[in-house]
Amino acid sequence: MASADTARLALRNLRVGRPDGTFILDIAGLKAEPGQCIGVRGPSGAGKSMLLMAMAGLLEGAAGDLRWGQTDLLTRNSGARAAFRQTHVGMIFQDFLLFDELSALANASVSLGFVKVGDRAAIKARAANWLRQLGLQDLDRPVASFSGGERQRVAVARALANDPAILLADEPTAALDWYTADRLSTDLIQAARSGNKTLIAASHDTSFLDRMDRIITLDHGRMVEGAA
Amino acid sequence: MSGWSDLSATWQDALICLALLGPGAVAGSVVLRGFAPWALVAAFLRRFVWTNLLFVILIAASVALGIGLVAQERALRMGGARATDKFDLIISAPGSELSVTLAAVFLQPMQLQLLDGSTFAEIEASPGVALAAPLVFGDSFGSAPIVGTTAAFVDHLAGPVAEGRVWQKAGEAIVGATLPLTFGDGFVPAHGYGEAADQDAHKGAPEHRVVGRMAATGTPWDRAILLPIESVWQVHGLATGHAPDRVAQMGAPFDAAFMPGVPVMVVKAASLPATYAVQSRWQSDTRTMAVFPGAVLSGLYRVMGNVRVAMSAISSLAQGLVAASILAGLLILLRLLGRQLALLRVLGAPARFVLAVVWSYCALLLAIGTLVGLAAGVGLAAALSNWVSGETGVLIYATIGWTELHLTAGFLSVVAALSLLPGWVISRNANVADLRL
């Protein structure tokens, strides 16, 4: 569930190394407040996706100090980090990563399969609610028949279904046409701000980035602009 | 274990079945505890529908073959045992017990030595003998073997005739229950059997006419033609077994001096002890051999029993190999879903959930294949039974018994355990490397 404190990011000396001793990612510091939307930009290979993975606790080799609220994510084991993501993190991907054979609602509430039984009804209700808020009506239709924009909205509803404090999005508008991308950006930013969630999105989409509260720029794994 | 032995066989079999299912059920409940992977499993089933169907067919075919063969083998044994029911004791000249049994019970063409008339008379007069029926073979009509015997044996074998009447004179015949000859049909026997039969050997002999039909016995005798033994001897130009002044007589008593010799005598004693006494008496006589057909078949089945064990083992091994191949195929297939499975981890699913999804998918496919195979095995066994019955005349009913259910239950547990393997491999490897965040 979203909690204002969990949405507060404090990151220091985050490093992901290579076997040769150099670093793929080397971020000296980054902070974010609940409700804040941060855009991450940089050339391909700059480490944007790597940064998002590290923030989600998905990189085994990441070192440093990465705190979401009181949670020091990098000191936790893999199971505990997965449990943290399950409760507090929503993730959105460029290519949606949906199960084509499942309906919009089943995709948006795919976490029903592994969350506690007591949480399932609420997650399903929230997933349906978000799908409708994002403009999708036929929730039982398999997503294979959906357009790219509709599929990305299903992916956004999936990210929001567990009411996370943190939203991490990687190129969420890259596969969409201008109009759909604009609408999706609006929905995503609105969802973050209205829910007091921290949104961190890597993107090349300038119109999307322009609407963020802050933009950071990465190059060769280092933050070259926008450090706080 | 007195509690166990107090249980009925059905209860014991049912409990064994449950025990065999147990490991699979335990594996499933441990893997699935707290999870609901079925929506994703349904998605996988739909995603690879044709491949899944192929896998189900493969596993079903391997299970059906195994089950069908085991059921068929048992049915053959039971059918064979049923066929010997009316042949308590067979006495013949010394030779092969198996040949005598095959000739008398299954009407297979065999080269047999003859008992002379005096030996026949001695056997017939032995204490405790209630029926001593001679059987003579060697002729045929079409595909039907012709057997010469007595009316008393017809009654012993099948009871009162189902239609028509028993022969009253030479030249009359009774046909087996399934033989396509009708009353009044006439025929001249050929000498020998099948393609080697000499159709003209008895040319000029009077035609035989069908006057009755035996009740069904479920044995090769249902496809035979039975003649008075006197007719058979007569057709061959031999004495009829009776003195010239009693040449019209049918059946016992025979006159030893006028008996051409018989290859087989079917003996029915008045009691079980008498049966053993007669067998002992004539087994020890150098002129004869006294055979229990049931014992001959038992000996044969003992040998076949080893074959059955080997056959079952090979069949189980084949099923295991098919299952393992399918699991390897599924592993490759699931690699195509690597990103979606990694996504589950990104969404916070425990590794055990990924294992549960993959295990459920694999185990479900294999379980469906196994159950379809069980049903197909029933059909296969029935088809094989029909075919074997048609070929041998021995009525065979192959049914699915506890043995097959035990095999199926055991196999289900094995596939449940084997399915853990792809689950474990995929859940270990489902990581963010598969994703481009």
Side-chain angles (χ1 to χ4, degrees):
Chain A
M1 303 298 146
S3 116
D5 187 54
T6 307
R8 182 169 290 113
L9 170 69
L11 180 160
R12 284 197 318 129
N13 296 327
L14 177 66
R15 287 177 166 178
V16 179
R18 292 191 182 93
D20 63 5
T22 60
F23 296 104
I24 311 168
L25 197 64
D26 184 3
I27 308 293
L30 179 64
K31 287 188 176 177
E33 292 300 315
Q36 197 171 23
C37 297
I38 299 177
V40 183
R41 68 182 176 192
S44 295
K48 303 188 295 294
S49 297
M50 189 72 72
L51 176 62
L52 294 178
M53 280 197 278
M55 285 177 172
L58 287 164
L59 293 183
E60 293 297 332
D65 192 6
L66 172 64
R67 290 174 189 275
W68 289 105
Q70 302 302 311
T71 305
D72 187 354
L73 200 56
L74 298 185
T75 61
R76 297 194 164 196
N77 65 27
S78 158
R81 292 200 302 268
F84 180 83
R85 283 195 299 278
Q86 188 186 118
T87 314
H88 300 296
V89 181
M91 302 197 75
I92 301 157
F93 308 92
Q94 177 181 339
D95 54 355
F96 328 129
L97 284 175
L98 301 176
F99 291 92
D100 282 353
E101 299 77 14
L102 297 184
S103 68
L105 182 57
N107 265 292
S109 57
V110 73
S111 61
L112 290 184
F114 53 84
V115 297
K116 288 181 194 145
V117 175
D119 294 339
R120 287 178 187 168
I123 286 176
K124 190 167 183 180
R126 259 198 307 272
N129 191 38
W130 273 114
L131 286 168
R132 289 195 189 93
Q133 277 194 45
L134 292 167
L136 295 168
Q137 297 306 321
D138 191 356
L139 309 190
D140 295 323
R141 187 154 56 101
V143 298
S145 62
F146 280 26
S147 68
E150 287 173 320
R151 291 163 75 85
Q152 191 59 299
R153 275 178 273 164
V154 173
V156 171
R158 179 179 65 195
L160 292 165
N162 62 339
D163 194 19
I166 305 151
L167 282 173
L168 302 175
D170 185 55
E171 302 284 4
T173 60
L176 308 178
D177 61 68
W178 177 87
Y179 175 79
T180 311
D182 184 62
R183 192 174 158 197
L184 196 277
S185 306
T186 304
D187 289 338
L188 200 52
I189 291 167
Q190 193 175 15
R193 287 185 178 143
S194 65
N196 217 25
K197 304 172 192 303
T198 297
L199 169 65
I200 301 177
S203 181
H204 290 98
D205 181 350
T206 50
S207 70
F208 178 43
L209 290 173
D210 285 347
R211 293 154 74 177
M212 293 292 190
D213 299 318
R214 237 174 84 203
I215 297 173
I216 61 173
T217 306
L218 297 188
D219 192 17
H220 292 95
R222 291 171 185 274
M223 198 185 302
V224 294
E225 191 181 344
Chain B
M1 292 300 281
S2 67
W4 176 256
S5 55
D6 289 344
L7 292 173
S8 69
T10 304
W11 270 105
Q12 288 183 356
D13 282 323
L15 289 173
I16 290 170
C17 209
L18 286 175
L20 286 166
L21 284 171
V26 169
S29 59
V30 169
V31 169
L32 294 175
R33 189 172 51 84
F35 295 148
W38 302 112
L40 294 173
V41 172
F44 293 175
L45 290 175
R46 285 200 288 270
R47 170 82 55 101
F48 305 118
V49 62
W50 294 112
T51 312
N52 291 335
L53 194 61
L54 178 68
F55 286 161
V56 166
I57 289 170
L58 282 174
I59 199 79
S62 73
V63 170
L65 279 173
I67 283 177
L69 285 176
V70 171
Q72 189 58 34
E73 189 273 341
R74 189 183 54 239
L76 269 171
R77 272 187 291 126
M78 291 174 72
R82 247 195 328 269
T84 64
D85 274 354
K86 296 291 182 179
F87 296 82
D88 295 0
L89 181 62
I90 296 172
I91 300 179
S92 68
S96 159
E97 294 187 350
L98 185 59
S99 294
V100 169
T101 301
L102 289 175
V105 180
F106 298 101
L107 298 181
Q108 294 297 303
M110 295 286 159
Q111 292 288 336
L112 302 174
Q113 298 297 312
L114 301 179
L115 294 170
D116 60 33
S118 58
T119 309
F120 178 90
E122 277 185 60
I123 295 168
E124 191 178 29
S126 297
V129 170
L131 170 75
L135 302 181
V136 294
F137 315 103
D139 287 347
S140 64
F141 177 66
S143 60
I146 290 176
V147 184
T149 186
T150 61
F153 178 74
V154 175
D155 187 61
H156 167 71
L157 182 68
V161 289
E163 296 173 62
R165 60 175 173 78
V166 181
W167 57 66
Q168 290 168 350
K169 59 179 192 248
E172 292 185 339
I174 295 173
V175 293
T178 60
L179 198 74
L181 283 179
T182 52
F183 296 164
D185 282 352
F187 62 91
V188 175
H191 190 71
Y193 297 97
E195 289 179 4
D198 180 355
Q199 303 294 336
D200 298 327
H202 305 310
K203 201 173 180 181
E207 263 198 348
H208 288 73
R209 297 233 164 253
V210 178
V211 297
R213 185 180 297 281
M214 276 201 307
T217 62
T219 71
W221 287 79
D222 288 344
R223 301 193 307 189
I225 298 171
L226 283 74
L227 301 183
I229 195 166
E230 293 85 353
S231 285
V232 176
W233 282 328
Q234 206 168 37
V235 163
H236 287 82
L238 303 168
T240 62
H242 304 287
D245 59 330
R246 295 193 300 119
V247 76
Q249 184 175 328
M250 298 280 104
F254 292 98
D255 188 335
F258 295 94
M259 278 193 82
V262 291
V264 170
M265 281 179 73
V266 176
V267 174
K268 170 86 179 164
S271 64
L272 189 62
T275 305
Y276 280 98
V278 173
Q279 192 270 342
S280 175
R281 159 73 184 84
W282 291 104
Q283 181 63 16
S284 58
D285 193 300
T286 55
R287 294 169 296 164
T288 57
M289 175 176 77
V291 174
F292 291 124
V296 173
L297 284 187
S298 292
L300 190 63
Y301 294 151
R302 265 199 302 280
V303 177
M304 283 172 62
N306 296 333
V307 174
R308 178 164 50 107
V309 170
M311 207 166 70
S312 294
I314 290 168
S315 151
S316 300
L317 185 67
Q319 286 174 32
L321 288 174
V322 170
S325 307
I326 287 172
L327 287 170
L330 287 172
L331 196 58
I332 294 165
L333 207 60
L334 285 163
R335 296 258 184 225
L336 301 174
L337 295 169
R339 302 189 75 226
Q340 273 93 344
L341 292 168
L343 166 81
L344 296 173
R345 294 288 285 139
V346 170
L347 295 178
R352 189 169 64 86
F353 179 71
V354 177
L355 186 148
V357 171
V358 174
W359 179 86
S360 304
Y361 170 54
C362 296
L364 187 66
L365 269 187
L366 293 174
I368 290 171
T370 304
L371 295 176
V372 170
L374 179 63
V378 176
L380 179 68
L384 279 172
S385 290
N386 279 338
W387 180 75
V388 173
S389 292
E391 288 292 306
T392 64
V394 180
L395 196 59
I396 289 170
Y397 302 107
T399 52
I400 295 302
W402 283 107
T403 308
E404 291 75 53
L405 294 177
H406 291 162
L407 281 172
T408 306
F411 188 65
L412 281 172
S413 270
V414 168
V415 297
L418 282 176
S419 297
L420 289 170
L421 199 62
W424 179 71
V425 170
I426 296 279
S427 65
R428 277 190 71 221
N429 295 327
N431 55 41
V432 290
D434 291 323
L435 295 172
R436 182 196 169 276
L437 262 174

